[in-house]
């Protein structure tokens, strides 16, 4: 939905639901980049007890905030602009909710599971998982690309890394979707209060069972690494293991699914681009990068100012919330020609995995590999795939994803 041009930017509430009914409000962000690149939203209508926040919209400013962790801290509130869904003390148990030096020590531990060699070794398994999911569509003429293809593939891939059982994939996917998509009435019909009352306790219960199993019998999966790891001679506390597990499973479930489905939609809506990729599969890695640029899985991440600071003319005060809008910075006109056009030959740099600094996504290699395989296998199996109804976005200013993408598999 485009911004109402009559509403002054000073009165515009960026995260209000009506802005996000059909995906990110790109026209609004374009206007902000040109007129007010660091913008103040005075309130969050759905969470009236929450303070307002700053929106950082240009690529240069997002890069500057990302790299200055001493001024823009993750440890006092990251990602979500509200603590109503998950309290701060739980978010601080994830390394993404920490600042150095603890962040660096804990992230280094997780990186053991995401080395380039370990990721490359998983390519045959990821391809087998993807082909197995596509095999289930045999004999069908239509499907939903979100729920029938992307979700089961990404759930099994991250499950295989973490050491969860295949029969639990749907359970973990449900828990992650309901938590991250808490405000969407379809993804979480009972409302955001159920996240802390029901979903987080279930996540802890299931994780505790996994922790006890790995303590009794170590394996080579990431959960076992977390359970037996030591940092400065100390083992991780149980809530740190649980929240570390949550971070990886949530990101693994949402990010690749979101970008793949939006990228496939872009190809299906542009016959020339689709024909180009089908004729030359060597374009698929570039297609992946363009999909990451145009459709980053998370619309924003948040920081909190640790001191008064000026950024691009805006006077940010200590304690203010600062949102880095990747859905805006990845379409910055100063960086990209025709930024709203999906171009498989562009092969751009982008900020889909963050914009540098300590919190750059450790799963980039895995995400790129999964996306490449998903595009390759889906297009090879169904070269005539086409839209078969209206795609529907999740109603969220945080997760940037389609919740339905109906397709026809054959002409």
């Amino acid at each position: 939905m485009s911004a109402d041009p009559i509403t002054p930017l000073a009165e515009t509430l960026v995260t209000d639901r009506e802005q996000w009914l059909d995906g990110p409000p790109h026209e609004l962000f374009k206007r902000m980049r040109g007129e007010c690149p660091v913008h103040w939203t005075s309130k969050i209508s759905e969470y009236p007890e929450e303070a307002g926040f700053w929106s950082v919209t240009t690529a240069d400013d997002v890069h500057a905030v990302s790299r200055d962790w001493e001024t823009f801290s993750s440890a006092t509130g990251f990602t979500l602009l509200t603590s109503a869904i998950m309290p701060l003390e739980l978010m601080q148990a994830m390394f993404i909710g920490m600042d150095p030096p603890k962040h660096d020590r804990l992230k280094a531990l997780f990186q053991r599971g995401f080395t380039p060699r370990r990721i490359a070794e998983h390519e045959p398994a990821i391809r087998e998982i993807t082909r197995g999911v596509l095999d289930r569509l045999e004999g069908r003429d239509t499907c939903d690309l979100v729920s029938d293809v992307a979700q089961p593939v990404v759930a099994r891939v991250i499950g295989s890394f973490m050491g969860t059982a295949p029969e639990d994939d749907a359970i973990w996917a449900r828990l992650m979707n309901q938590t991250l998509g808490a405000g969407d009435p379809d993804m979480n019909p009972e409302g955001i209060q159920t996240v802390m009352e029901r979903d987080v306790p279930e996540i802890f219960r299931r994780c505790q069972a996994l922790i006890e199993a790995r303590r009794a019998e170590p394996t080579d999966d990431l959960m076992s690494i977390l359970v037996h790891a030591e940092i400065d001679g100390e083992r991780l506390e149980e809530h740190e293991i649980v929240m570390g597990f949550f971070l990886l499973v949530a990101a693994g479930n949402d990010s690749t699914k979101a970008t793949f489905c939006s990228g496939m939609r872009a190809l299906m809506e542009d016959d020339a681009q689709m024909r180009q990729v089908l004729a030359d599969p060597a374009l698929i890695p570039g297609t992946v990068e363009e999909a990451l640029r145009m459709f980053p899985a998370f619309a924003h991440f948040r920081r909190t100012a640790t001191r008064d600071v000026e950024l691009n003319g805006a006077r940010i005060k200590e304690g203010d919330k600062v949102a880095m809008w990747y859905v805006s910075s990845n379409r910055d006109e100063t960086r990209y020609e025709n930024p709203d056009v999906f171009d498989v030959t562009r092969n751009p740099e982008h900020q889909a995995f963050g914009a540098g600094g300590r919190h750059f996504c450790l799963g980039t290699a895995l995400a790129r590999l999964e996306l490449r395989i998903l595009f390759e296998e889906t297009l090879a199996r169904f070269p005539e795939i086409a839209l078969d109804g209206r795609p529907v976005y999740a109603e969220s200013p945080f997760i940037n994803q389609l919740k339905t993408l109906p397709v026809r598999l054959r002409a």
Side-chain angles (χ1 to χ4, degrees), residues 129 131-140 148 152-153 381:
I129 289 166
R131 288 173 175 171
V133 169
L134 293 173
D135 286 345
R136 299 177 202 166
L137 302 176
E138 190 64 39
R140 291 178 58 176
D148 292 327
V153 169
R381 186 80 64 103

Side-chain angles (χ1 to χ4, degrees), residues 114 150-159 161-162 172-173 176-177 180 244-259 297-298 361-363 366-367 370-371 374 401:
F114 290 90
Q151 183 67 79
V153 169
V154 300
R156 179 75 313 252
V157 170
I158 196 62
F161 267 74
M162 298 307 302
W172 286 116
M176 299 307 149
N177 289 337
L180 294 186
F245 174 94
F246 172 84
L247 174 63
L248 293 181
V249 175
N253 257 288
D254 269 59
S255 55
T256 309
K257 173 182 69 177
T259 300
F298 299 103
C361 175
L362 67 77
L366 177 59
E370 277 188 87
L371 285 166
L374 272 163
Q401 62 179 259

Side-chain angles (χ1 to χ4, degrees), residues 5-75:
I6 299 169
T7 304
L9 281 179
E11 298 172 19
T12 298
L13 304 177
V14 174
T15 52
D16 269 19
R17 185 177 293 269
E18 61 265 24
Q19 309 275 18
W20 296 85
L21 296 177
D22 193 27
H26 292 298
E27 287 301 314
L28 170 60
F29 283 124
K30 181 177 182 179
R31 189 173 159 212
M32 289 163 65
R33 288 192 300 272
E35 299 175 31
C36 184
V38 181
H39 170 274
W40 176 251
T41 290
S42 60
K43 64 179 181 178
I44 304 174
S45 297
E46 291 191 47
Y47 306 101
E49 74 287 353
E50 289 278 356
F53 62 92
W54 294 97
S55 287
V56 182
T57 61
T58 69
D60 285 347
D61 288 343
V62 168
H63 180 76
V65 170
S66 290
R67 296 184 64 84
D68 187 359
W69 61 266
E70 291 174 305
T71 304
F72 301 101
S73 168
S74 296

Side-chain angles (χ1 to χ4, degrees), residues 33 57-60 328-336 339:
R33 288 192 300 272
T57 61
T58 69
D60 285 347
S328 175
S329 65
N330 274 347
R331 299 191 184 207
D332 187 333
E333 299 81 359
T334 68
R335 291 280 180 99
Y336 310 104

Side-chain angles (χ1 to χ4, degrees), residues 187-390:
M187 299 174 80
N188 196 23
E190 295 174 59
I192 63 165
Q193 71 278 1
T194 60
V195 172
M196 283 307 300
E197 292 173 2
R198 180 192 64 200
D199 298 335
V200 170
E202 184 176 353
I203 290 167
F204 267 80
R205 278 197 308 274
R206 291 181 175 278
C207 275
Q208 283 161 346
L210 280 169
I211 291 167
E212 289 169 13
R214 295 304 181 272
R215 281 188 178 135
E217 193 173 334
T219 60
D220 64 351
D221 55 52
L222 265 174
M223 179 56 101
S224 197
I225 289 175
L226 297 179
V227 167
H228 296 281
E230 291 188 0
I231 297 179
D232 298 338
E234 294 183 6
R235 292 277 175 95
L236 294 180
E237 296 181 32
E238 189 163 284
H239 73 286
E240 291 177 319
I241 299 174
V242 172
M243 295 314 293
F245 174 94
F246 172 84
L247 174 63
L248 293 181
V249 175
N253 257 288
D254 269 59
S255 55
T256 309
K257 173 182 69 177
T259 300
F260 168 68
C261 291
S262 291
M264 283 295 297
R265 177 191 184 179
L267 284 178
M268 290 185 286
E269 288 179 336
D270 190 327
D271 286 341
Q273 295 281 293
M274 177 68 91
R275 286 198 303 271
Q276 244 183 310
V277 176
L278 290 172
D280 183 7
L283 288 172
I284 286 178
T287 303
V288 166
E289 297 307 313
E290 180 70 339
L292 286 163
R293 179 190 73 82
M294 284 197 72
F295 314 110
F298 299 103
H300 74 270
F301 270 6
R302 167 198 159 185
R303 299 289 186 265
T304 305
T306 60
R307 61 181 178 88
D308 292 358
V309 64
E310 186 168 316
L311 179 68
N312 204 345
R315 296 183 180 276
I316 298 170
K317 296 189 182 307
E318 179 183 349
D320 283 355
K321 293 179 282 191
V322 179
M324 299 175 289
W325 289 102
Y326 306 123
V327 289
S328 175
S329 65
N330 274 347
R331 299 191 184 207
D332 187 333
E333 299 81 359
T334 68
R335 291 280 180 99
Y336 310 104
E337 189 177 346
N338 298 321
D340 296 320
V341 173
F342 189 78
D343 180 357
V344 298
T345 65
R346 192 192 301 265
N347 202 15
E349 291 185 5
H350 53 73
Q351 297 180 341
F353 297 119
R358 297 302 225 283
H359 287 282
F360 193 75
C361 175
L362 67 77
T364 53
L366 177 59
R368 284 184 164 116
L369 177 60
E370 277 188 87
L371 285 166
R372 177 169 62 80
I373 290 172
L374 272 163
F375 277 107
E376 287 172 352
E377 296 294 336
T378 303
L379 293 174
R381 186 80 64 103
F382 302 112
E384 296 175 313
I385 192 169
L387 288 172
D388 189 44
R390 189 176 75 87

Side-chain angles (χ1 to χ4, degrees), residues 136 155-156 159 163-173 206:
R136 299 177 202 166
R156 179 75 313 252
T164 59
E167 57 267 25
D168 291 339
D169 286 351
I171 296 170
W172 286 116
R206 291 181 175 278

